[in-house]
């Protein structure tokens, strides 16, 4: 999910700052205690010393960044090339070098209705998912969902997700998706083929408030916590729920 900022200044150590005026932060993650990355709408930066220094690692020939995912030295970026094509690049070297992979199979109509926003998640070097937001709901589907089993070289279309939003997978089968007007939560048990809404039983003091879900955080294969924010328009409260059955 995008977070707009007026300006983002990325430190380049003794050489000053690289300012992304009017940029939009697509995503950012800390991969290891001192290593992380941040992606704007047109560039990707990498730090290996806790944010003291940043290096731009944007793949060549990309003029827009739509989605990114990094883990275990590997990374994938969905973006737009200088020719206007939607493309995917992969790195096995923390962004030092990049390879061009296959793009998701989009029709001309889908390309015309693509909002330029996406989300991507991989559970290992081979299996990953990609969700693309559409600009209109002419066919009632808010987004497009694809899966790869070969590290992003080819992508297979899955049934349209119930909502557009942020997602992740904890195994090759189990995944979670949040989004929509009310930040609803959905779970898939079959790799994204089907989704079912998930809800919690709120404490009595919160039962009359509207809840907005965040993605669950798993501390083991079965144990997880689920943050939920409640509001009635004038007051806001937060609660954390736990599960021990996955």
């Amino acid at each position: 999910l995008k977070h707009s900022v007026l300006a983002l200044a990325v430190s380049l150590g003794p050489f000053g700052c690289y300012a992304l005026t009017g940029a939009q932060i697509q995503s950012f993650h800390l991969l290891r205690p001192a290593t992380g990355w941040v992606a704007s709408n047109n560039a990707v930066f990498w730090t290996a010393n806790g944010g003291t220094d940043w290096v731009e690692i944007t793949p060549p020939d990309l003029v827009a960044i739509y989605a990114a995912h990094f883990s275990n030295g590997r990374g994938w970026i969905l973006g737009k090339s200088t020719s206007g094509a939607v493309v995917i690049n992969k790195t096995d070297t923390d962004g030092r070098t990049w390879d061009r992979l296959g793009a998701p199979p989009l029709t001309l109509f889908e390309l015309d209705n693509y909002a330029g926003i996406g989300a991507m998640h991989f559970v290992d070097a081979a299996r990953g998912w990609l969700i693309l937001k559409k600009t209109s709901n002419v066919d009632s589907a808010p987004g497009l969902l694809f899966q790869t089993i070969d590290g992003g070289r080819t992508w297979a279309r899955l049934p349209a997700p119930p909502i557009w939003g942020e997602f992740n997978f904890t195994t090759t089968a189990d995944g979670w998706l949040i989004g929509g007007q009310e930040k609803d939560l959905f779970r898939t048990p079959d790799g994204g083929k089907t989704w079912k809404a998930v809800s919690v039983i709120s404490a009595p003091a919160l039962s009359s408030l509207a809840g907005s879900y965040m993605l669950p955080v798993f501390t083991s294969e079965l144990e997880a916590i689920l943050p939920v924010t409640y509001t009635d328009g004038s007051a806001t409260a937060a609660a954390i729920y736990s599960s021990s059955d996955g």
Side-chain angles (χ1 to χ4, degrees):
L1 300 180
K2 288 188 175 181
H3 302 275
S4 297
V5 295
L6 295 178
L8 169 67
V10 179
S11 170
L12 298 180
F15 301 103
C17 293
Y18 186 100
L20 301 176
T21 304
Q24 286 185 315
I25 300 301
Q26 301 274 25
S27 50
F28 54 94
H29 287 281
L30 187 67
L31 302 175
R32 297 181 285 278
T35 303
W37 60 274
V38 58
S40 74
N41 55 335
N42 58 13
V44 182
F45 294 87
W46 185 271
T47 180
N49 58 8
T52 301
D53 302 294
W54 293 84
V55 177
E56 183 175 359
I57 60 168
T58 311
D61 195 35
L62 283 193
V63 296
I65 306 297
Y66 297 148
H69 178 83
F70 288 83
S71 63
N72 299 320
R74 296 178 292 268
W76 295 261
I77 291 180
L78 173 76
K80 183 172 71 173
S81 69
T82 53
S83 66
V86 176
V87 297
I88 292 178
N89 290 270
K90 180 186 178 184
T91 179
D92 292 313
T93 59
D94 284 342
R96 291 186 294 274
T97 59
W98 293 90
D99 294 318
R100 178 68 54 85
L101 302 181
L106 299 173
T107 66
L108 290 177
F109 178 79
E110 289 169 340
L111 283 170
D112 288 341
N113 284 275
Y114 175 44
I117 306 173
M120 185 186 302
H121 187 83
F122 280 75
V123 294
D124 54 36
R127 297 180 181 272
W129 293 260
L130 173 67
I131 184 171
L132 305 178
K133 185 180 182 181
K134 292 159 61 176
T135 56
S136 63
N137 292 336
V138 291
D139 57 0
S140 74
L144 304 168
L145 183 62
F146 300 90
Q147 181 186 28
T148 180
I149 58 174
D150 58 9
R153 298 193 177 279
T154 60
W155 295 85
R157 186 185 298 267
L158 294 176
I163 55 174
W164 147 259
E166 185 181 357
F167 77 99
N168 65 24
F169 277 78
T170 54
T171 69
T172 56
D174 299 306
W176 302 84
L177 169 67
I178 58 169
Q181 293 282 349
E182 305 297 331
K183 281 290 189 75
D184 297 319
L185 176 66
F186 288 81
R187 178 181 181 270
T188 177
D190 53 18
K193 296 182 179 67
T194 62
W195 297 86
K196 183 177 180 180
V198 177
S199 60
V200 297
I201 300 176
S202 303
L206 302 173
S207 60
S208 62
L209 305 180
S212 296
Y213 293 91
M214 297 180 67
L215 288 173
V217 177
F218 280 79
T219 56
S220 69
E221 184 177 350
L222 296 178
E223 297 179 331
I225 57 174
L226 175 65
V228 183
T229 301
Y230 295 89
T231 181
D232 64 357
S234 59
T236 301
I240 296 180
Y241 298 86
S242 63
S243 172
S244 58
D245 60 4

